[in-house]
Amino acid sequence: VPMTWTSPSNCPASPPAATAAPTATQVSWLPTLLRAAGWSLSAALQGAVLIQAGGVVGGLLIARLMDAGATRRALVGGFCLSAACLLLFAVLPSGAAWIALLLLLGAGVSGSQLALNVLSAAYYPPAIKATGVSWTIVVGGIGSMFAPLAGAWLLDLQLGPTLILALLALPALLNAAAVALMRQEWQAN
């Protein structure tokens, strides 16, 4: 079965790299961004934990939806949720609303990242499963390596924290589009 460019790891701007990028940027720079938005150091560090907590819940929810056969809808929904949260940071006041956004953001972006790793194991036929999963992890790892550097560059440009967070919505939307374009049938086992 030929793989198309819309598979999880056959495109340079694939979901693993594009999902790993905002995840790595958020983990690396979120406390700094929250501090720039007026949060105390303690609260900023707690904000970073909120994303991870949301990711665990989001990963379980997306996995449940994938088991029910709603793989594409679950992933597109997770990526769109991430993009919406990232954009809402620019319009909602810092504080309680941002706490909810951090939890939802974690559910969307981290949950989708976990689900993509699982999807890659089901996506490829047995003859190339190990290669497909390995490439998915490698491409995601490359995104994880360069994303913190991109975050540092954005901070160096002295962009505000809400603008940087809004810019991270772009990879989330790219992910949603890539997943929406995936072929409908893939290997189940």
Side-chain angles (χ1 to χ4, degrees):
V1 176
M3 297 288 117
T4 63
W5 70 272
T6 56
S7 72
S9 66
N10 287 348
C11 175
S14 68
T19 302
T23 303
T25 303
Q26 290 160 13
V27 169
S28 299
W29 293 109
L30 183 67
T32 303
L33 293 171
L34 292 175
R35 294 271 297 141
W39 288 39
S40 69
L41 178 59
S42 174
L45 294 174
Q46 290 172 357
V49 171
L50 289 173
I51 280 191
Q52 300 305 320
V56 171
V57 174
L60 292 171
L61 178 61
I62 290 172
R64 180 79 172 134
L65 292 170
M66 289 173 68
D67 283 345
T71 300
R72 272 207 278 187
R73 285 189 302 254
L75 286 170
V76 169
F79 292 129
C80 288
L81 174 65
S82 299
C85 289
L86 288 163
L87 293 171
L88 284 171
F89 281 108
V91 296
L92 294 176
S94 179
W98 279 32
I99 291 171
L101 288 176
L102 289 170
L103 283 167
L104 291 171
L105 177 61
V109 76
S110 297
S112 296
Q113 176 65 41
L114 293 169
L116 280 174
N117 290 335
V118 173
L119 174 62
S120 68
Y123 192 84
Y124 294 101
I128 63 167
K129 189 178 297 284
T131 301
V133 171
S134 297
W135 271 107
T136 299
I137 292 168
V138 166
V139 171
I142 291 169
S144 294
M145 287 177 6
F146 288 105
L149 296 173
W153 177 68
L154 292 172
L155 286 167
D156 190 49
L157 292 175
Q158 297 182 354
L159 302 175
T162 56
L163 179 56
I164 292 172
L165 290 169
L167 288 172
L168 291 175
L170 295 174
L173 294 173
L174 173 66
N175 290 333
V179 169
L181 293 172
M182 276 187 350
R183 60 190 171 113
Q184 290 194 348
E185 57 287 325
W186 51 76
Q187 301 293 319
N189 46 5

